[in-house]
Short mmCIF file of all heavy atoms in Angstrom, two decimals:
data_model
loop_
_atom_site.label_atom_id
_atom_site.label_comp_id
_atom_site.label_asym_id
_atom_site.label_seq_id
_atom_site.Cartn_x
_atom_site.Cartn_y
_atom_site.Cartn_z
N ARG K 26 28.26 120.52 70.29
CA ARG K 26 27.50 121.28 71.30
C ARG K 26 26.37 121.99 70.58
O ARG K 26 26.61 122.87 69.77
CB ARG K 26 28.39 122.29 72.01
CG ARG K 26 29.42 121.66 72.94
CD ARG K 26 30.11 122.75 73.76
NE ARG K 26 31.07 122.18 74.67
CZ ARG K 26 30.77 121.64 75.85
NH1 ARG K 26 29.53 121.59 76.23
NH2 ARG K 26 31.70 121.14 76.64
N PHE K 27 25.16 121.61 70.89
CA PHE K 27 24.04 122.17 70.21
C PHE K 27 23.07 122.88 71.18
O PHE K 27 22.71 124.03 70.98
CB PHE K 27 23.27 121.08 69.47
CG PHE K 27 24.10 120.31 68.48
CD1 PHE K 27 24.62 119.07 68.80
CD2 PHE K 27 24.35 120.83 67.22
CE1 PHE K 27 25.38 118.36 67.87
CE2 PHE K 27 25.13 120.15 66.29
CZ PHE K 27 25.62 118.90 66.63
N LEU K 28 22.67 122.18 72.21
CA LEU K 28 21.59 122.65 73.09
C LEU K 28 22.02 122.58 74.55
O LEU K 28 21.78 121.56 75.21
CB LEU K 28 20.35 121.79 72.87
CG LEU K 28 19.84 121.64 71.44
CD1 LEU K 28 18.84 120.52 71.33
CD2 LEU K 28 19.24 122.95 70.96
N PRO K 29 22.69 123.60 75.08
CA PRO K 29 23.15 124.86 74.50
C PRO K 29 24.48 124.66 73.78
O PRO K 29 25.10 123.61 73.87
CB PRO K 29 23.30 125.75 75.72
CG PRO K 29 23.71 124.79 76.81
CD PRO K 29 22.96 123.53 76.54
N PRO K 30 24.98 125.71 73.07
CA PRO K 30 26.24 125.57 72.33
C PRO K 30 27.50 125.67 73.18
O PRO K 30 28.60 125.62 72.64
CB PRO K 30 26.17 126.75 71.33
CG PRO K 30 25.35 127.77 72.03
CD PRO K 30 24.34 127.02 72.82
N LEU K 31 27.34 125.81 74.49
CA LEU K 31 28.50 125.88 75.39
C LEU K 31 28.10 125.36 76.73
O LEU K 31 26.92 125.21 77.05
CB LEU K 31 29.04 127.31 75.51
CG LEU K 31 28.30 128.31 76.42
CD1 LEU K 31 29.16 129.53 76.61
CD2 LEU K 31 26.96 128.72 75.88
N GLY K 32 29.11 125.02 77.55
CA GLY K 32 28.84 124.60 78.92
C GLY K 32 29.48 125.60 79.86
O GLY K 32 28.87 126.59 80.26
N SER K 33 30.73 125.36 80.22
CA SER K 33 31.56 126.30 80.98
C SER K 33 30.81 127.01 82.08
O SER K 33 30.47 126.42 83.10
CB SER K 33 32.21 127.28 79.98
OG SER K 33 32.94 126.56 79.01
N PHE K 34 30.54 128.33 81.93
CA PHE K 34 30.00 129.11 83.03
C PHE K 34 28.63 128.57 83.48
O PHE K 34 28.25 128.75 84.65
CB PHE K 34 29.93 130.61 82.72
CG PHE K 34 28.88 131.01 81.72
CD1 PHE K 34 27.59 131.31 82.16
CD2 PHE K 34 29.16 131.08 80.36
CE1 PHE K 34 26.61 131.68 81.25
CE2 PHE K 34 28.19 131.45 79.46
CZ PHE K 34 26.91 131.75 79.90
N LEU K 35 27.89 127.92 82.57
CA LEU K 35 26.60 127.35 82.96
C LEU K 35 26.80 126.22 83.98
O LEU K 35 25.89 125.95 84.78
CB LEU K 35 25.87 126.83 81.72
CG LEU K 35 25.53 127.85 80.64
CD1 LEU K 35 24.90 127.17 79.44
CD2 LEU K 35 24.58 128.92 81.20
N TYR K 36 27.96 125.61 83.95
CA TYR K 36 28.29 124.54 84.89
C TYR K 36 29.03 125.08 86.11
O TYR K 36 28.76 124.71 87.25
CB TYR K 36 29.17 123.48 84.22
CG TYR K 36 28.44 122.53 83.31
CD1 TYR K 36 27.91 122.94 82.09
CD2 TYR K 36 28.25 121.21 83.68
CE1 TYR K 36 27.25 122.06 81.28
CE2 TYR K 36 27.58 120.30 82.87
CZ TYR K 36 27.07 120.75 81.66
OH TYR K 36 26.43 119.87 80.84
N TRP K 37 30.00 125.94 85.84
CA TRP K 37 30.96 126.33 86.88
C TRP K 37 30.38 127.36 87.85
O TRP K 37 30.99 127.66 88.86
CB TRP K 37 32.24 126.78 86.26
CG TRP K 37 32.81 125.73 85.37
CD1 TRP K 37 32.65 124.37 85.51
CD2 TRP K 37 33.59 125.90 84.19
NE1 TRP K 37 33.29 123.69 84.51
CE2 TRP K 37 33.90 124.60 83.67
CE3 TRP K 37 34.12 127.02 83.52
CZ2 TRP K 37 34.66 124.40 82.53
CZ3 TRP K 37 34.88 126.80 82.39
CH2 TRP K 37 35.12 125.53 81.90
N LEU K 38 29.21 127.91 87.54
CA LEU K 38 28.47 128.73 88.48
C LEU K 38 27.32 127.93 89.13
O LEU K 38 26.50 128.49 89.85
CB LEU K 38 27.88 129.95 87.77
CG LEU K 38 28.90 131.01 87.31
CD1 LEU K 38 28.22 132.09 86.50
CD2 LEU K 38 29.66 131.61 88.49
N ARG K 39 27.32 126.63 88.91
CA ARG K 39 26.22 125.76 89.37
C ARG K 39 26.78 124.76 90.40
O ARG K 39 27.55 123.89 90.09
CB ARG K 39 25.67 125.00 88.16
CG ARG K 39 24.38 124.23 88.42
CD ARG K 39 24.02 123.46 87.14
NE ARG K 39 22.72 122.80 87.24
CZ ARG K 39 21.63 123.22 86.65
NH1 ARG K 39 21.64 124.33 85.92
NH2 ARG K 39 20.50 122.57 86.77
N PRO K 40 26.34 124.90 91.63
CA PRO K 40 26.81 123.94 92.68
C PRO K 40 26.41 122.50 92.32
O PRO K 40 25.39 122.27 91.65
CB PRO K 40 26.12 124.42 93.95
CG PRO K 40 25.80 125.86 93.69
CD PRO K 40 25.50 125.94 92.22
N SER K 41 27.20 121.56 92.82
CA SER K 41 26.95 120.12 92.68
C SER K 41 27.31 119.54 91.31
O SER K 41 27.11 118.34 91.07
CB SER K 41 25.49 119.75 93.01
OG SER K 41 25.19 120.09 94.36
N THR K 42 27.82 120.36 90.39
CA THR K 42 28.39 119.76 89.18
C THR K 42 29.75 119.13 89.52
O THR K 42 30.29 119.36 90.60
CB THR K 42 28.55 120.83 88.08
OG1 THR K 42 29.26 121.97 88.61
CG2 THR K 42 27.21 121.30 87.55
N ILE K 43 30.27 118.34 88.59
CA ILE K 43 31.49 117.59 88.86
C ILE K 43 32.71 118.50 88.64
O ILE K 43 32.78 119.21 87.64
CB ILE K 43 31.56 116.36 87.96
CG1 ILE K 43 30.44 115.40 88.25
CG2 ILE K 43 32.91 115.63 88.12
CD1 ILE K 43 30.36 114.21 87.30
N ARG K 44 33.66 118.42 89.57
CA ARG K 44 34.94 119.06 89.40
C ARG K 44 36.03 117.98 89.50
O ARG K 44 35.85 116.95 90.15
CB ARG K 44 35.16 120.16 90.44
CG ARG K 44 35.25 119.69 91.87
CD ARG K 44 35.51 120.84 92.86
NE ARG K 44 35.59 120.33 94.22
CZ ARG K 44 36.72 119.90 94.81
NH1 ARG K 44 37.86 119.92 94.12
NH2 ARG K 44 36.71 119.45 96.05
N LEU K 45 37.17 118.28 88.90
CA LEU K 45 38.28 117.32 88.88
C LEU K 45 39.54 117.98 89.37
O LEU K 45 40.28 118.60 88.62
CB LEU K 45 38.51 116.81 87.44
CG LEU K 45 37.35 116.08 86.75
CD1 LEU K 45 37.76 115.69 85.33
CD2 LEU K 45 36.92 114.86 87.54
N PRO K 46 39.85 117.86 90.66
CA PRO K 46 41.10 118.42 91.18
C PRO K 46 42.30 117.64 90.65
O PRO K 46 42.23 116.40 90.53
CB PRO K 46 40.97 118.23 92.70
CG PRO K 46 39.99 117.12 92.88
CD PRO K 46 39.05 117.19 91.71
N PRO K 47 43.39 118.33 90.25
CA PRO K 47 44.52 117.62 89.66
C PRO K 47 45.30 116.78 90.64
O PRO K 47 45.82 115.72 90.26
CB PRO K 47 45.38 118.76 89.08
CG PRO K 47 45.00 119.95 89.88
CD PRO K 47 43.56 119.79 90.23
N TRP K 48 45.44 117.18 91.88
CA TRP K 48 46.22 116.43 92.87
C TRP K 48 45.44 116.38 94.21
O TRP K 48 45.87 116.95 95.22
CB TRP K 48 47.58 117.06 93.09
CG TRP K 48 48.36 117.22 91.82
CD1 TRP K 48 48.93 116.20 91.08
CD2 TRP K 48 48.69 118.42 91.12
NE1 TRP K 48 49.58 116.70 89.99
CE2 TRP K 48 49.45 118.06 89.98
CE3 TRP K 48 48.41 119.79 91.35
CZ2 TRP K 48 49.92 118.99 89.08
CZ3 TRP K 48 48.86 120.72 90.45
CH2 TRP K 48 49.63 120.31 89.33
N PRO K 49 44.31 115.69 94.23
CA PRO K 49 43.47 115.72 95.44
C PRO K 49 44.13 115.08 96.66
O PRO K 49 43.81 115.46 97.78
CB PRO K 49 42.24 114.91 95.02
CG PRO K 49 42.70 114.04 93.90
CD PRO K 49 43.70 114.86 93.17
N GLY K 50 45.05 114.18 96.44
CA GLY K 50 45.68 113.54 97.58
C GLY K 50 46.95 114.25 98.06
O GLY K 50 47.52 113.86 99.08
N LYS K 51 47.34 115.29 97.36
CA LYS K 51 48.58 115.96 97.68
C LYS K 51 48.41 117.44 98.07
O LYS K 51 49.20 117.98 98.85
CB LYS K 51 49.55 115.87 96.49
CG LYS K 51 49.93 114.44 96.11
CD LYS K 51 50.87 114.39 94.93
CE LYS K 51 51.23 112.94 94.56
NZ LYS K 51 52.11 112.86 93.38
N VAL K 52 47.41 118.09 97.51
CA VAL K 52 47.20 119.51 97.78
C VAL K 52 46.07 119.64 98.81
O VAL K 52 44.96 119.17 98.56
CB VAL K 52 46.84 120.28 96.52
CG1 VAL K 52 46.59 121.77 96.84
CG2 VAL K 52 47.96 120.15 95.48
N PRO K 53 46.33 120.24 99.95
CA PRO K 53 45.27 120.37 100.98
C PRO K 53 44.04 121.12 100.46
O PRO K 53 44.17 122.02 99.57
CB PRO K 53 45.97 121.17 102.09
CG PRO K 53 47.42 120.92 101.88
CD PRO K 53 47.63 120.78 100.40
N LEU K 54 42.92 120.80 100.99
CA LEU K 54 41.63 121.50 100.70
C LEU K 54 41.16 121.34 99.27
O LEU K 54 40.40 122.16 98.76
CB LEU K 54 41.77 123.00 101.02
CG LEU K 54 42.21 123.34 102.45
CD1 LEU K 54 42.33 124.86 102.62
CD2 LEU K 54 41.23 122.76 103.47
#
């Protein structure tokens, strides 16, 4: 990780980035 040296909050406060639900077919919403 160089430019920038981290992702995390830069992604998770940004709409339309990819998320990975662990059980999308089993847990509602």
Side-chain angles (χ1 to χ4, degrees):
R26 289 189 178 280
F27 303 100
L28 307 167
L31 79 168
S33 303
F34 73 88
L35 299 176
Y36 283 72
W37 303 331
L38 291 174
R39 190 185 186 105
S41 298
T42 50
I43 297 174
R44 65 179 180 88
L45 300 178
W48 303 290
K51 298 179 180 179
V52 179
L54 304 178

